Amino acid sequence: MILTVTLNTALDLTYRVPALTPHATHRVTQVIERPGGKGLNVARVLAALGHETVATGFAGGATGAMLKDLLAATPVRDELVPTAGPTRRTVAVVDTSTGDTTQLNEPGPAITPAEWAGFRTRFTELLDGARAVALCGSLPPGIHVGAYAELIRLARAAAVPVLLDTSGEPLRRGIAARPDLVKPNADELAQLTGSREPHRATRDARRRGAHAVVSSLGPEGLLAATPEGLWRAAPPAAVRGNPTGAGDSAVAGLLSGLVDEAPWPDRLTRAVALSAATVLSPVAGEYDPSAYEELLPRVKVTEEPGSP
């Protein structure tokens, strides 16, 4: 099975309005609720691809109970650890006239030392039988910035490949713990390395400790620095739509390829096709299966010159 970790889960609410206008009252035409947070998004896509998937992290309060009820309706196995504080909500307001999305994210509950210790114990237990683990998203209040580095060391001790997808100081600390793969976007990569030149920044990030680095370049696809070489993967054409969850779908594609022991070009092809199919989906954060199948053979992967 594949284990995903979402320390700062969320109840995702999407409101669709005809047009978003500042200082105005809006009539909402559609409301969508779903379990959210980056790791849960990854788990949902992996399950849709046919992988046995387990989701852990924290959930608490009334919103946490709603999240767990929604998660129960999916193929993802729920191993969320309870907290006294309530799970946060995230609100996405979609302007249907333009397709633009405005996002409002609450900070999340304060995690106590006892809750963190209980999670570490459950995480260690779940590593037994895991073929890969993904550590995704922001840290809730109360958890130290080296938490992901701590979990990476536990996964490495259990010989479980680990992917890290976070930002800021948790990424900086985590990459030094030598994860198998990190997947920053362009802004996160620039913050980590100080460079906005994609090739230099991706190579620099790998030198900081990660076995491989796959950087997201938005509509231009992915750039991967791996032990086997430097690769670029891009969709066949620019896609327009809602990018919410596209990065999480890319993570799911990379994990799917990892556990299937696919070569790097195939892993990147899955990741780019899933990401583009998520942008094209009418529901924010979900991928369009038919678009994925149509895009898969059309993703362009090239080997870049130079050492990774």
Side-chain angles (χ1 to χ4, degrees):
M1 61 88 169
I2 301 175
L3 177 64
T4 71
V5 174
T6 314
L7 296 178
N8 208 8
T9 57
L11 179 65
D12 282 352
L13 303 173
T14 300
Y15 295 153
R16 299 179 70 87
V17 298
L20 183 60
T21 306
H23 316 298
T25 300
H26 297 80
R27 184 175 296 278
V28 177
T29 58
Q30 185 183 26
V31 179
I32 300 170
E33 296 179 331
R34 62 180 188 135
K38 292 178 73 64
L40 290 183
N41 296 340
V42 172
R44 192 166 50 247
V45 174
L46 284 169
L49 291 172
H51 294 282
E52 180 188 358
T53 310
V54 175
T56 191
F58 293 108
T63 50
M66 292 178 64
L67 182 152
K68 288 172 70 68
D69 286 344
L70 292 168
L71 190 60
T74 75
V76 177
R77 192 174 106 209
D78 175 3
E79 289 289 350
L80 295 170
V81 175
T83 63
T87 296
R88 66 183 177 136
R89 294 161 298 183
T90 66
V91 179
V93 183
V94 179
D95 182 330
T96 56
S97 66
T98 64
D100 292 337
T101 300
T102 299
Q103 193 83 17
L104 305 172
N105 295 337
E106 295 179 358
I111 304 301
T112 68
E115 288 168 344
W116 173 243
F119 172 80
R120 275 190 39 152
T121 298
R122 190 71 191 111
F123 175 75
T124 303
E125 293 168 348
L126 290 169
L127 286 173
D128 185 19
R131 298 178 64 195
V133 58
L135 309 175
C136 303
S138 62
L139 299 177
I143 293 186
H144 62 96
V145 293
Y148 281 137
E150 194 175 338
L151 299 181
I152 290 166
R153 287 190 286 270
L154 290 172
R156 286 176 57 82
V160 178
V162 56
L163 180 153
L164 177 64
D165 183 14
T166 188
S167 60
E169 191 62 21
L171 172 60
R172 190 180 305 277
R173 299 281 188 95
I175 201 171
R178 306 187 67 81
D180 294 86
L181 176 62
V182 295
K183 196 213 72 65
N185 62 32
D187 289 339
E188 293 161 353
L189 196 62
Q191 185 180 12
L192 175 69
T193 66
S195 174
R196 285 200 169 270
E197 199 289 308
H199 289 76
R200 174 186 292 180
T202 303
R203 288 188 178 101
D204 186 7
R206 184 166 180 256
R207 284 194 292 269
R208 290 168 185 258
H211 189 64
V213 176
V214 177
S215 52
S216 174
L217 307 179
E220 297 177 16
L222 300 173
L223 180 65
T226 80
E228 286 77 29
L230 191 67
W231 306 89
R232 183 74 170 263
V239 294
R240 290 185 57 83
N242 187 345
T244 302
D248 302 330
S249 292
V251 168
L254 293 169
L255 282 169
S256 174
L258 187 156
V259 299
D260 287 346
E261 300 181 348
W264 270 105
D266 289 352
R267 300 186 198 187
L268 296 171
T269 295
R270 293 187 197 187
V272 168
L274 281 168
S275 179
T278 301
V279 174
L280 293 170
S281 173
V283 178
E286 305 286 348
Y287 83 94
D288 183 325
S290 60
Y292 171 62
E293 294 298 333
E294 191 273 332
L295 285 163
L296 200 57
R298 300 173 57 214
V299 172
K300 184 179 180 181
V301 181
T302 55
E303 188 167 9
E304 301 284 278
S307 64

